[in-house]
Each structure stands twice: as C-alpha cells, then as structure tokens.
Amino acid sequence: MSDVTAYDVEYWHDATRLLGHVRLPGAGRTGTAVLLLPDAYGVTEHMIGIAGRLADRGHAVLVADLWGNRLLPVDQAEFGPLIGAMAHDRERWLGRVRAAHAALLEQLETRDTAVVPLGYCFGGSSALEYARTGAEVSGVISVHGGLDIIEFDWSAAGDAPVLVCTGADDPMATADLRANLASALSGADTDWQMHVYGNTVHAFTSPLAKSSPRPDVVAYSARSTARAWAATLGFLDEIDGSRLNA
C-alpha cells in the first residue's frame, strides 16, 4: 500500500553489524509492533513480504538480522552450524534478539512500546526463548519453531500470551517436545494456545520447502500456511484489542 514506508536499518550487537528491514504503516494505524524473527535463510524477500503484509494491516515491523551483515545462507550445510553456534551461546543468541527489539523501538514514533515477536523456524525458537527468559513483550508467536533447541523453564517469563503453530509430524517439534512445552507453559500459568496441523512437517510456510529433497522432514503446505497465517492475524487482533481496551 502507498502509505507504508520501507527501508533498511543498520544496528549492532557487540562488534557485529546487523542489517534489518523495516516496514512502517501510515499515520493513524495503531496495530501492535511486530519483531519478525526470520527462518534460517535470513532476511529474505519472503520474510520482507510477510513484513509488508503485516504493515498493510497497521503493524510496524522490523525483520531482524540474526546472523549479521545480512547473511543469506542457502542450505542446511550453511545454516546448520550457525544455528548450532547460537544454541551453544545463548547469551549471544538472545543478545541478537534484544538488539533487534531495541532497533524496532527506535523506529516507532509513539510511546506505546507493545511488541510481539513473530518467528519462523529458527526464528520461532528465538521468539519462544526470548519470551521465556523474561523479555518485555506483549505476546509471542512461533510458527514451526524448532522445539528441540529451546529450554522449558518458564519461571522467568512475564505474562505475555503464547501462540505456537506447528506440524504434527515435525521431527523438530515432536509430540513429546510439544507436551513438554505445554506442561511448562501451564506450569507458569501462561495464557497459551498450540495449533497442531495434521500431515505437516517442518518449515511448512517456506517457499523453499516446495523442492525439499527430504519431504518427510521439510515440506511446504499451502493449507497449513494459510491456517497459521489466519491464527497469527487473529492472535495479533486479540493483542490489539486487549491493549487498546486496557
């Protein structure tokens, strides 16, 4: 839409240059801001497109650069070690998310600092870990996030509601892992919901998964993509309603 502003933004974590992408809606559009944490492929046109769709609905969005220098890994051989390094250095991992959160707030011309992290795949894991460890967020959304690299102690989390959209056959979000997460969220008295899509594996929203060499592990699903998007928009509308009526 013509009233949406788009630009890249440079920010830093420690000595690493990060280059995110911002979409800001026009004046008077007051949807909750979204910290978009991308999948392992980074700040791709696909992720920028999601940001644009959210901005069209009134949400200010920053697509975070979690790898640094706008790195765009092309396959598992490239992004696998990057994910592993983050999982073994959680302070650096969450520091990258905090830096993106701060960069998003700097773009907002408002005192309303409500932010919802929305993450896909590795970004979904990042969103959950960020909320779990006490980030000041208004909600958190994980879409096919890997539950195999997160922890399950939610005692430090705030009261932000949680939405998890995942595939029933995702090897990185097995039934046991889903049960562990559900138990942890309930134990922390978190307002949570989990949407589990049948006949669906990992990375089901990614266009790159359409040509997956391992469709038993990674595969695109148009139906589950549509369902997760509808759930995401509904969740954001609910957050908006709660915030504006507070």
Side-chain angles (χ1 to χ4, degrees):
M1 295 177 64
S2 59
D3 60 346
V4 171
T5 302
Y7 56 91
D8 288 342
V9 61
E10 181 183 74
Y11 60 105
W12 294 79
H13 174 244
D14 292 338
T16 300
R17 172 181 177 266
L18 306 164
L19 187 62
H21 182 79
V22 172
R23 292 291 173 103
L24 298 179
R29 308 183 72 183
T30 57
T32 302
V34 175
L35 177 59
L36 182 51
L37 303 174
D39 60 21
Y41 294 100
V43 187
T44 59
E45 289 302 316
H46 173 57
M47 288 293 150
I48 290 172
I50 291 173
R53 292 165 67 190
L54 290 168
D56 285 343
R57 293 180 59 89
H59 300 282
V61 186
L62 183 141
V63 187
D65 179 10
L66 295 175
W67 302 139
N69 291 302
R70 191 65 75 83
L71 178 66
L72 301 174
V74 298
D75 55 25
Q76 173 71 33
E78 286 194 37
F79 62 65
L82 294 170
I83 293 174
M86 289 292 190
H88 285 91
D89 186 351
R90 289 175 185 265
E91 179 53 37
R92 181 164 68 103
W93 179 9
L94 296 178
R96 294 284 173 90
V97 181
R98 284 193 296 271
H101 189 167
L104 171 58
L105 294 179
E106 289 177 359
Q107 313 311 308
L108 304 179
E109 296 180 357
T110 175
R111 293 183 180 180
D112 184 351
T113 57
V115 172
V116 172
L118 161 62
Y120 291 81
C121 288
F122 176 68
S125 308
S126 303
L128 290 171
E129 281 295 276
Y130 190 50
R132 183 188 69 79
T133 53
E136 294 186 8
V137 295
S138 298
V140 58
I141 306 170
S142 170
V143 181
H144 49 74
L147 306 185
D148 54 341
I149 60 171
I150 67 171
E151 297 181 358
F152 296 103
D153 178 2
W154 280 73
S155 60
D159 59 0
V162 174
L163 168 65
V164 175
C165 299
T166 190
D169 304 314
D170 187 341
M172 300 167 203
T174 62
D176 285 346
L177 289 168
R178 296 195 302 268
N180 288 343
L181 178 57
S183 177
L185 291 170
S186 292
D189 199 28
T190 300
D191 174 12
W192 66 274
Q193 52 185 298
M194 188 178 299
H195 298 203
V196 181
Y197 307 124
N199 302 310
T200 302
V201 292
H202 194 60
F204 60 81
T205 69
S206 174
L208 295 173
K210 294 178 180 179
S211 57
S212 169
R214 288 290 309 276
D216 57 321
V217 176
V218 171
Y220 177 77
S221 169
R223 179 174 57 191
S224 295
T225 294
R227 288 173 173 171
W229 183 246
T232 294
L233 297 182
F235 185 84
L236 289 172
D237 286 346
E238 187 175 308
I239 298 296
D240 286 345
S242 298
R243 179 171 57 86
L244 296 175
N245 294 325

